[in-house]
Amino acid sequence: VCASDLARVVETKPTLTKPVSVNFASGSSELTKRAKQIIDSDMVPVIDSMGSAYFSVEGNSDSTGSRGANLALSKKRAEAVVAYLVSQWEIPSERFVVRGNGPDKARCDEANPASEEVDLEGCRQLNRRTDVAVHSR
């Protein structure tokens, strides 16, 4: 499959979206031991069960820092997840499209963290995550 075909597939509505709370330290795209455990237990079974499907992996950030830095950082977070899946689980990299959303797809409203029953730092931590969506071929 060529890159343009893959891009077209992942622009369609996903078959399944699985939010995966792979948390990152502020300003970091490094996977922790805990993050790897979450990928192994929450992402790999979904990927394995979906045969030849494609996946979009979207990195996200909190709102601290500049928009440009957050967009770059969130993409690095998604790339770190895909690199781990490719190297540790031998999943072909051609099955992934990586995106960085920066703070644009927040799970928690940092202006009102109490709505999620967390403090501001807890809210920001919820926003520093990756999501994976499954797209049928």
Side-chain angles (χ1 to χ4, degrees):
V1 152
C2 72
S4 64
D5 289 341
L6 180 56
R8 238 187 336 274
V9 168
V10 298
E11 291 304 320
T12 63
K13 185 174 181 173
T15 307
L16 169 73
T17 301
K18 174 146 179 86
V20 178
S21 295
V22 176
N23 293 325
F24 295 88
S26 183
S28 175
S29 61
E30 185 176 333
L31 292 174
T32 63
K33 183 177 179 179
R34 177 73 181 128
K36 292 174 183 177
Q37 291 170 340
I38 291 168
I39 293 167
D40 294 346
S41 65
D42 292 358
M43 286 179 119
V44 171
V46 172
I47 292 170
D48 283 347
S49 72
M50 297 306 290
S52 61
Y54 295 111
F55 304 91
S56 58
V57 179
E58 298 186 5
N60 300 276
S61 72
D62 61 32
S63 65
T64 58
S66 74
R67 178 171 172 70
N70 281 330
L71 288 169
L73 177 61
S74 62
K75 186 171 183 184
K76 285 181 185 176
R77 289 174 173 164
E79 289 169 343
V81 170
V82 170
Y84 177 78
L85 289 165
V86 169
S87 68
Q88 296 300 307
W89 291 94
E90 300 177 354
I91 300 168
S93 61
E94 298 79 26
R95 293 179 66 194
F96 297 99
V97 170
V98 173
R99 292 192 177 122
N101 297 324
D104 296 345
K105 291 190 176 181
R107 183 176 291 160
C108 181
D109 179 3
E110 293 176 33
N112 185 18
S115 68
E116 294 292 327
E117 299 180 6
V118 295
D119 63 9
L120 180 57
E121 181 49 37
C123 184
R124 287 178 173 160
Q125 188 172 25
L126 288 171
N127 291 335
R128 296 189 302 259
R129 71 187 194 285
T130 57
D131 295 321
V132 61
V134 181
H135 301 269
S136 299
R137 284 187 180 229

